Amino acid sequence: AMRGSLRQVRFLNTPHGGKLVNKMVTDAAEKEDLIKQCDGRVIELNERQSCDTELITNGAFSPIEGYMAEGDYNSVVEDMKLESGHLFGLPVVLDTNRSDVKP
């Protein structure tokens, strides 16, 4: 039998890379401004691209903050690490032939 008082212990998960990268825009004015910056441009996403975008937005791919640029992509493909040294085994890129789309 246990004697004495029990302590409640709370374990919090630390996001990969140490901080949760949350790109979700909740402010209505900021949303409107971002939409105006798109200037009518539209990118149609397939199911995988849409899923990747959602995972970037909600922080599930922390510590990355967007689609990978060439340096992180090459590092992940070659070493399964981001250039920062954080383990990351999945290259996350927006595969497109459009020249107006940049990481």
Side-chain angles (χ1 to χ4, degrees), residues 68-78 81-84 103:
M68 292 179 179
E70 188 173 357
D72 272 330
Y73 172 83
N74 289 335
S75 184
V76 167
V77 169
E78 294 169 13
K81 294 180 184 178
L82 298 169
E83 287 184 298
S84 67

Side-chain angles (χ1 to χ4, degrees), residues 14-24 51-66 88:
T14 302
H16 187 59
K19 70 173 187 161
L20 180 66
V21 177
N22 182 357
K23 295 294 199 176
M24 187 68 67
C51 183
D52 286 351
T53 300
E54 183 176 348
L55 293 171
I56 290 168
T57 302
N58 68 24
F61 278 155
S62 292
I64 66 171
E65 297 191 18
F88 209 93

